[in-house]
């Protein structure tokens, strides 16, 4: 019995010693007075911006709060806001403030009037600036195409990592400047009812991330884009050319094509057109000299319907030739609306290209089916004439034969 009592007394003494030790240890933390903490900010979100951020948070029911301090860059930068509770329940705190560019860690503290502060609350946010601006560029345009409905912009792909949102296009319609937004997900954009000749004025608008409160944009400026302007300035360009006169196989081209007398090598009435079929189309520009029907300085041409704007153009055409080596055919672009030059004056043209004439005299092969083009540059707006010049010997049977499928005019 005496042994049991001794053990109990020993355990009690040990417990008292331990309790006193823990209490003494705690007292050293409050030797300067009891620590008081104000209510901290909850649900902190930091939205990115352009050389700024926006901080959102909730302040619960602590009526003593008087200031909110936000610091970043390891405390080198900070903002302090006075605060007075507005509602009995939870207040929403939203502030936008300037921040130098970069990803930042923000420390948020709340204070009462006596200087007591809350525990630390941290949030991460991003400020975008000049470095981001240097990364963005306009969405490329592959080409413009035209129809009765208007001008269609054909967009190229763009890097989505920089957050492109849309392209903003400006154009003139009946003297008024209009603006259309083309979502970045759209491959094409129609400008209804207008015929827009390059350059194309547009800019691209970016949002760096989904939380960003600001957008960035490139400058609204002209862009030289490739545009097929055939329909704007030329007519009856195939495939399937319309005819004027016709004898059952040979004929002349319908307006606006002009055919001179020398090109009408079929009885002086027809020439320059055939109803023959090739490439799946009937109705082709054609010269044929079988049966000793030569073409000497024959010209088929049309002027553009309006002055072409200054710039560089490419006139392209697909053709088939079994023209013999003693003959020539040229595609020509000439200044003005009065026609194309004759062979001695070919150097006066804005541009020209010789078609294939590699067939031996008296043969029909080897022939060629290809696309060729003429490039020319205008320094001022002007009307031009486009067409074909033929000097083809008539050799009886076989003679030379040439057909042209279509023409296209592209502004570079």
């Amino acid at each position: 019995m005496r042994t049991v009592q001794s053990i109990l007394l020993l355990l009690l003494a040990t417990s008292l010693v331990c309790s006193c030790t823990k209490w003494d240890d705690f007292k050293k933390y409050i030797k300067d007075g009891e620590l008081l903490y104000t209510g901290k900010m909850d649900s902190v979100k930091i939205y990115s911006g352009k050389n700024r951020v926006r901080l959102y948070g909730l302040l619960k029911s602590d009526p003593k709060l008087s200031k909110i301090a936000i610091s970043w860059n390891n405390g080198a930068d900070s903002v302090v806001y006075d605060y007075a509770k507005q509602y009995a329940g939870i207040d929403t705190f939203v502030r936008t403030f300037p921040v130098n560019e970069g990803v930042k860690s923000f420390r948020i503290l709340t204070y009462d009037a006596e200087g007591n502060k809350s525990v630390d609350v941290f949030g991460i946010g991003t400020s975008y600036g000049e470095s981001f601006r240097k990364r963005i560029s306009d969405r490329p345009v592959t080409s413009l195409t035209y129809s009765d409905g208007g001008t269609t912009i054909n967009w190229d792909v763009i890097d989505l990592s920089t957050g492109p949102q849309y392209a903003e296009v400006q154009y003139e319609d009946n003297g008024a400047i209009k603006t259309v937004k083309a979502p970045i997900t759209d491959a094409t954009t129609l400008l209804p009812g207008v015929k827009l000749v390059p350059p194309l004025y547009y800019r691209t608008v970016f949002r760096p991330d989904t939380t960003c409160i600001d957008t960035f944009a490139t400058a609204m400026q002209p862009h030289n884009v490739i545009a097929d302007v055939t329909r704007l300035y030329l007519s009856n360009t195939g495939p399937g050319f319309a005819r004027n006169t016709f004898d059952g196989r040979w004929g002349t081209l319908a307006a606006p094509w002009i055919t001179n007398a020398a090109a009408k090598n079929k009885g002086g009435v027809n020439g320059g057109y055939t109803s023959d079929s090739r490439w799946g189309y009937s109705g082709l520009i054609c010269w044929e000299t079988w049966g000793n029907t030569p073409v000497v300085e024959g010209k088929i041409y049309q002027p553009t319907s309006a002055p072409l704007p200054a710039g560089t153009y490419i006139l392209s055409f697909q053709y088939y030739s079994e023209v013999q080596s003693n003959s020539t055919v040229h595609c020509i672009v000439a200044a003005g609306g009065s026609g194309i030059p004759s062979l001695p004056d070919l150097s006066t043209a804005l541009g020209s290209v010789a078609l294939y004439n590699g067939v031996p005299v008296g043969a029909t092969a080897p022939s060629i089916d290809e696309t060729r083009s003429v490039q020319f540059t205008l320094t001022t707006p002007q009307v031009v004439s486009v067409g074909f010049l033929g000097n083809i010997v008539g050799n009886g049977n076989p003679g030379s034969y040439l057909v042209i499928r279509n023409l296209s005019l592209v502004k570079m």
Side-chain angles (χ1 to χ4, degrees):
M1 184 67 177
R2 193 181 292 270
T3 302
V4 173
Q5 290 177 342
S6 299
I7 293 173
L8 290 173
L9 289 171
L10 179 60
L11 290 173
L12 179 59
T14 302
S15 175
L16 289 172
V17 170
C18 292
S19 298
C20 290
T21 301
K22 289 180 180 179
W23 178 249
D24 289 343
D25 282 346
F26 177 75
K27 285 196 294 183
K28 69 184 179 183
Y29 294 108
I30 60 170
K31 61 183 179 180
D32 296 323
E34 183 179 358
L35 289 179
L36 298 176
Y37 289 97
T38 62
K40 66 182 179 66
M41 187 178 294
D42 286 328
S43 303
V44 170
K45 296 178 182 178
I46 301 176
Y47 299 93
S48 59
K50 183 187 297 183
N51 295 309
R52 62 180 186 167
V53 299
R54 177 171 294 166
L55 185 142
Y56 167 94
L58 299 179
L59 295 169
K60 297 182 179 180
S61 52
D62 188 343
K64 302 185 299 298
L65 295 186
S66 62
K67 290 188 182 296
I68 297 171
I70 307 164
S71 62
W72 63 98
N73 288 337
N74 294 319
D77 297 300
S78 62
V79 289
V80 178
Y81 295 101
D82 291 330
Y83 171 76
K85 189 165 183 59
Q86 299 178 356
Y87 305 103
I90 297 175
D91 279 353
T92 299
F93 180 86
V94 181
R95 295 293 187 277
T96 303
F97 49 91
V99 174
N100 58 317
E101 187 173 13
V103 180
K104 309 295 181 182
S105 176
F106 296 90
R107 181 190 183 201
I108 303 104
L109 291 171
T110 60
Y111 290 86
D112 63 17
E114 297 178 358
N116 297 308
K117 64 181 181 178
S118 68
V119 296
D120 293 343
V121 175
F122 293 95
I124 301 294
T126 303
S127 172
Y128 295 96
E130 191 60 27
S131 294
F132 176 77
R133 186 176 293 279
K134 291 178 180 178
R135 293 174 53 203
I136 63 176
S137 58
D138 275 315
R139 185 181 188 184
V141 173
T142 58
S143 65
L144 301 180
T145 55
Y146 302 93
S147 66
D148 293 339
T151 299
T152 297
I153 305 170
N154 302 298
W155 298 102
D156 204 347
V157 296
I158 187 173
D159 179 11
L160 299 179
S161 66
T162 51
Q165 301 297 300
Y166 57 89
E168 196 172 70
V169 183
Q170 281 188 355
Y171 62 97
E172 185 174 334
D173 184 12
N174 293 324
I177 301 299
K178 294 186 176 181
T179 302
V180 63
K181 290 183 179 180
I184 212 67
T185 53
D186 289 359
T188 61
T189 300
L190 174 66
L191 307 180
V194 299
K195 299 296 187 289
L196 182 69
V197 180
L200 178 66
Y201 285 79
Y202 71 96
R203 67 177 185 169
T204 308
V205 178
F206 297 78
R207 176 169 279 108
D209 61 61
T210 57
T211 74
C212 194
I213 61 174
D214 297 310
T215 59
F216 288 75
T218 56
M220 181 69 74
Q221 60 186 338
H223 295 266
N224 287 319
V225 299
I226 297 173
D228 186 337
V229 296
T230 310
R231 292 175 61 95
L232 298 184
Y233 298 104
L234 300 174
S235 300
N236 195 15
T237 56
F241 290 89
R243 65 188 179 228
N244 184 15
T245 61
F246 187 58
D247 66 5
R249 182 181 181 188
W250 313 115
T252 55
L253 289 166
W257 290 101
I258 298 170
T259 304
N260 73 351
K264 299 173 183 178
N265 67 321
K266 299 300 182 181
V269 176
N270 296 301
Y273 170 89
T274 183
S275 60
D276 291 355
S277 295
R278 194 173 188 89
W279 304 288
Y281 295 95
S282 175
L284 309 168
I285 293 178
C286 175
W287 273 314
E288 189 249 32
T289 64
W290 291 54
N292 290 311
T293 53
V295 177
V296 181
E297 295 298 307
K299 298 178 183 180
I300 305 168
Y301 70 92
Q302 67 168 284
T304 55
S305 59
L308 297 180
T312 297
Y313 295 83
I314 294 179
L315 177 71
S316 300
F317 57 96
Q318 184 180 358
Y319 76 104
Y320 167 83
S321 174
E322 51 186 61
V323 173
Q324 297 171 15
S325 59
N326 59 355
S327 303
T328 61
V329 179
H330 291 82
C331 178
I332 301 173
V333 179
S338 59
I340 57 177
S342 299
L343 193 58
D345 300 317
L346 191 59
S347 62
T348 65
L350 292 171
S352 67
V353 63
L355 280 62
Y356 175 79
N357 64 339
V359 179
V361 175
T364 59
S367 60
I368 195 169
D369 185 335
E370 66 174 352
T371 297
R372 287 197 181 177
S373 60
V374 179
Q375 181 171 313
F376 62 98
T377 299
L378 303 178
T379 56
T380 59
Q382 59 181 295
V383 171
V384 304
S385 294
V386 303
F388 296 90
L389 169 68
N391 283 279
I392 309 174
V393 175
N395 290 322
N397 299 316
S400 293
Y401 182 77
L402 171 88
V403 286
I404 296 165
R405 175 181 180 270
N406 70 305
L407 295 92
S408 66
L409 181 64
V410 172
K411 186 177 189 300
M412 304 301 291

